[in-house]
Amino acid sequence: MIDAIVDAIFPPQCVICSSDGAWCCCSCFEKIELVRTHSRERGNYVNEIIAVGHYRNPELRTLLHQLKYKNARCLRFAFEKLLRRFASQFNGSFPWAGERSLCIQALVGSPKRIHARGFDQAEFFRDLVRDVLIPHAVPVNLLRRSSSIEAQAALDANDPLRGVNVRDAFSVIPQEEEINPAVILVDDI
């Protein structure tokens, strides 16, 4: 209801090409190439990494930047539509298929950056992934940020410091109850 009122006062304009009618127009949305990139057994604890699209895709990158840096939560519908298209394209054949009990965790952001942005975009995506792809997953808070790191966006994509930058940046919060070992970790970029 509130969205409809806001859209009536401030008609949506595509954040990518500036055409009128939607926050992400059909033409720009169709330019977002979906890929199911994944890798298995990276490290001792990660079984699989899945990405919906390539960050180098200009339309997807613009949507992510508008959400993350311009607080454009009006893009929720576009991201929801993107996840539904992703699920449909890959027929829901995800590594968690068949898991009856799952936990879902947002990658813990920098409190300083979250405060500056006014919201936590990783939690935004955690909730969206849960709503669209795995509604039976239980949101958990298993991680804490152990140290403040330089923003990964400030580092070149091929910079070897990217891995060093996040090493030991997070730690597990001890839990009173045993948690299901199947945890989906969600991040934005």
PDB file of all heavy atoms in Angstrom, residues 76-88:
ATOM      1  N   ARG A  76      13.561  -4.524  -4.315  1.00  0.00           N
ATOM      2  CA  ARG A  76      13.277  -5.876  -3.797  1.00  0.00           C
ATOM      3  C   ARG A  76      12.547  -6.717  -4.834  1.00  0.00           C
ATOM      4  O   ARG A  76      12.889  -7.873  -5.053  1.00  0.00           O
ATOM      5  CB  ARG A  76      12.473  -5.815  -2.502  1.00  0.00           C
ATOM      6  CG  ARG A  76      12.143  -7.215  -1.986  1.00  0.00           C
ATOM      7  CD  ARG A  76      11.307  -7.200  -0.713  1.00  0.00           C
ATOM      8  NE  ARG A  76      10.779  -8.514  -0.431  1.00  0.00           N
ATOM      9  CZ  ARG A  76      11.412  -9.475   0.218  1.00  0.00           C
ATOM     10  NH1 ARG A  76      12.620  -9.260   0.684  1.00  0.00           N
ATOM     11  NH2 ARG A  76      10.836 -10.641   0.420  1.00  0.00           N
ATOM     12  N   PHE A  77      11.528  -6.139  -5.478  1.00  0.00           N
ATOM     13  CA  PHE A  77      10.767  -6.902  -6.464  1.00  0.00           C
ATOM     14  C   PHE A  77      11.664  -7.371  -7.607  1.00  0.00           C
ATOM     15  O   PHE A  77      11.534  -8.496  -8.091  1.00  0.00           O
ATOM     16  CB  PHE A  77       9.585  -6.086  -6.999  1.00  0.00           C
ATOM     17  CG  PHE A  77       8.812  -6.818  -8.055  1.00  0.00           C
ATOM     18  CD1 PHE A  77       7.979  -7.885  -7.715  1.00  0.00           C
ATOM     19  CD2 PHE A  77       8.922  -6.459  -9.388  1.00  0.00           C
ATOM     20  CE1 PHE A  77       7.277  -8.576  -8.698  1.00  0.00           C
ATOM     21  CE2 PHE A  77       8.217  -7.141 -10.365  1.00  0.00           C
ATOM     22  CZ  PHE A  77       7.393  -8.202 -10.022  1.00  0.00           C
ATOM     23  N   ALA A  78      12.579  -6.524  -8.079  1.00  0.00           N
ATOM     24  CA  ALA A  78      13.487  -6.905  -9.169  1.00  0.00           C
ATOM     25  C   ALA A  78      14.388  -8.060  -8.736  1.00  0.00           C
ATOM     26  O   ALA A  78      14.581  -9.015  -9.496  1.00  0.00           O
ATOM     27  CB  ALA A  78      14.333  -5.705  -9.606  1.00  0.00           C
ATOM     28  N   PHE A  79      14.922  -8.002  -7.510  1.00  0.00           N
ATOM     29  CA  PHE A  79      15.767  -9.092  -7.025  1.00  0.00           C
ATOM     30  C   PHE A  79      14.953 -10.364  -6.784  1.00  0.00           C
ATOM     31  O   PHE A  79      15.425 -11.468  -7.059  1.00  0.00           O
ATOM     32  CB  PHE A  79      16.510  -8.672  -5.752  1.00  0.00           C
ATOM     33  CG  PHE A  79      17.664  -7.746  -6.017  1.00  0.00           C
ATOM     34  CD1 PHE A  79      17.629  -6.437  -5.595  1.00  0.00           C
ATOM     35  CD2 PHE A  79      18.786  -8.180  -6.700  1.00  0.00           C
ATOM     36  CE1 PHE A  79      18.689  -5.568  -5.839  1.00  0.00           C
ATOM     37  CE2 PHE A  79      19.859  -7.330  -6.958  1.00  0.00           C
ATOM     38  CZ  PHE A  79      19.802  -6.020  -6.525  1.00  0.00           C
ATOM     39  N   GLU A  80      13.734 -10.196  -6.304  1.00  0.00           N
ATOM     40  CA  GLU A  80      12.857 -11.353  -6.107  1.00  0.00           C
ATOM     41  C   GLU A  80      12.574 -12.028  -7.452  1.00  0.00           C
ATOM     42  O   GLU A  80      12.662 -13.249  -7.590  1.00  0.00           O
ATOM     43  CB  GLU A  80      11.554 -10.903  -5.448  1.00  0.00           C
ATOM     44  CG  GLU A  80      10.599 -12.029  -5.162  1.00  0.00           C
ATOM     45  CD  GLU A  80       9.349 -11.530  -4.451  1.00  0.00           C
ATOM     46  OE1 GLU A  80       9.447 -10.648  -3.576  1.00  0.00           O
ATOM     47  OE2 GLU A  80       8.262 -12.053  -4.778  1.00  0.00           O
ATOM     48  N   LYS A  81      12.256 -11.226  -8.456  1.00  0.00           N
ATOM     49  CA  LYS A  81      11.995 -11.730  -9.804  1.00  0.00           C
ATOM     50  C   LYS A  81      13.235 -12.436 -10.365  1.00  0.00           C
ATOM     51  O   LYS A  81      13.141 -13.485 -11.004  1.00  0.00           O
ATOM     52  CB  LYS A  81      11.577 -10.555 -10.692  1.00  0.00           C
ATOM     53  CG  LYS A  81      11.107 -10.906 -12.056  1.00  0.00           C
ATOM     54  CD  LYS A  81      10.604  -9.637 -12.755  1.00  0.00           C
ATOM     55  CE  LYS A  81      10.455  -9.829 -14.237  1.00  0.00           C
ATOM     56  NZ  LYS A  81      10.111  -8.583 -14.921  1.00  0.00           N
ATOM     57  N   LEU A  82      14.405 -11.863 -10.087  1.00  0.00           N
ATOM     58  CA  LEU A  82      15.664 -12.444 -10.542  1.00  0.00           C
ATOM     59  C   LEU A  82      15.889 -13.819  -9.892  1.00  0.00           C
ATOM     60  O   LEU A  82      16.266 -14.784 -10.566  1.00  0.00           O
ATOM     61  CB  LEU A  82      16.812 -11.495 -10.219  1.00  0.00           C
ATOM     62  CG  LEU A  82      18.154 -11.767 -10.868  1.00  0.00           C
ATOM     63  CD1 LEU A  82      18.062 -11.610 -12.376  1.00  0.00           C
ATOM     64  CD2 LEU A  82      19.192 -10.803 -10.309  1.00  0.00           C
ATOM     65  N   LEU A  83      15.646 -13.921  -8.595  1.00  0.00           N
ATOM     66  CA  LEU A  83      15.808 -15.201  -7.905  1.00  0.00           C
ATOM     67  C   LEU A  83      14.806 -16.238  -8.417  1.00  0.00           C
ATOM     68  O   LEU A  83      15.141 -17.423  -8.553  1.00  0.00           O
ATOM     69  CB  LEU A  83      15.661 -15.030  -6.395  1.00  0.00           C
ATOM     70  CG  LEU A  83      16.861 -14.457  -5.663  1.00  0.00           C
ATOM     71  CD1 LEU A  83      16.523 -14.223  -4.192  1.00  0.00           C
ATOM     72  CD2 LEU A  83      18.063 -15.380  -5.782  1.00  0.00           C
ATOM     73  N   ARG A  84      13.579 -15.819  -8.687  1.00  0.00           N
ATOM     74  CA  ARG A  84      12.579 -16.750  -9.229  1.00  0.00           C
ATOM     75  C   ARG A  84      13.001 -17.246 -10.614  1.00  0.00           C
ATOM     76  O   ARG A  84      12.856 -18.421 -10.944  1.00  0.00           O
ATOM     77  CB  ARG A  84      11.204 -16.092  -9.290  1.00  0.00           C
ATOM     78  CG  ARG A  84      10.595 -15.893  -7.918  1.00  0.00           C
ATOM     79  CD  ARG A  84       9.132 -15.481  -7.972  1.00  0.00           C
ATOM     80  NE  ARG A  84       8.670 -15.006  -6.696  1.00  0.00           N
ATOM     81  CZ  ARG A  84       8.471 -15.757  -5.616  1.00  0.00           C
ATOM     82  NH1 ARG A  84       8.703 -17.046  -5.671  1.00  0.00           N
ATOM     83  NH2 ARG A  84       8.053 -15.225  -4.483  1.00  0.00           N
ATOM     84  N   ARG A  85      13.533 -16.333 -11.432  1.00  0.00           N
ATOM     85  CA  ARG A  85      14.032 -16.728 -12.752  1.00  0.00           C
ATOM     86  C   ARG A  85      15.204 -17.691 -12.620  1.00  0.00           C
ATOM     87  O   ARG A  85      15.302 -18.682 -13.346  1.00  0.00           O
ATOM     88  CB  ARG A  85      14.433 -15.475 -13.537  1.00  0.00           C
ATOM     89  CG  ARG A  85      14.681 -15.743 -15.006  1.00  0.00           C
ATOM     90  CD  ARG A  85      14.888 -14.436 -15.748  1.00  0.00           C
ATOM     91  NE  ARG A  85      16.291 -14.361 -16.112  1.00  0.00           N
ATOM     92  CZ  ARG A  85      16.944 -13.251 -16.403  1.00  0.00           C
ATOM     93  NH1 ARG A  85      16.330 -12.095 -16.352  1.00  0.00           N
ATOM     94  NH2 ARG A  85      18.207 -13.276 -16.735  1.00  0.00           N
ATOM     95  N   PHE A  86      16.074 -17.417 -11.661  1.00  0.00           N
ATOM     96  CA  PHE A  86      17.222 -18.279 -11.392  1.00  0.00           C
ATOM     97  C   PHE A  86      16.759 -19.677 -10.994  1.00  0.00           C
ATOM     98  O   PHE A  86      17.231 -20.682 -11.519  1.00  0.00           O
ATOM     99  CB  PHE A  86      18.076 -17.644 -10.284  1.00  0.00           C
ATOM    100  CG  PHE A  86      19.278 -18.442  -9.879  1.00  0.00           C
ATOM    101  CD1 PHE A  86      20.389 -18.515 -10.704  1.00  0.00           C
ATOM    102  CD2 PHE A  86      19.306 -19.097  -8.658  1.00  0.00           C
ATOM    103  CE1 PHE A  86      21.512 -19.240 -10.318  1.00  0.00           C
ATOM    104  CE2 PHE A  86      20.416 -19.818  -8.267  1.00  0.00           C
ATOM    105  CZ  PHE A  86      21.530 -19.888  -9.102  1.00  0.00           C
ATOM    106  N   ALA A  87      15.810 -19.759 -10.065  1.00  0.00           N
ATOM    107  CA  ALA A  87      15.295 -21.054  -9.602  1.00  0.00           C
ATOM    108  C   ALA A  87      14.645 -21.812 -10.751  1.00  0.00           C
ATOM    109  O   ALA A  87      14.828 -23.024 -10.901  1.00  0.00           O
ATOM    110  CB  ALA A  87      14.300 -20.843  -8.471  1.00  0.00           C
ATOM    111  N   SER A  88      13.908 -21.105 -11.580  1.00  0.00           N
ATOM    112  CA  SER A  88      13.230 -21.727 -12.712  1.00  0.00           C
ATOM    113  C   SER A  88      14.236 -22.233 -13.747  1.00  0.00           C
ATOM    114  O   SER A  88      14.121 -23.334 -14.262  1.00  0.00           O
ATOM    115  CB  SER A  88      12.283 -20.716 -13.355  1.00  0.00           C
ATOM    116  OG  SER A  88      11.740 -21.224 -14.540  1.00  0.00           O
TER     117      SER A  88
END
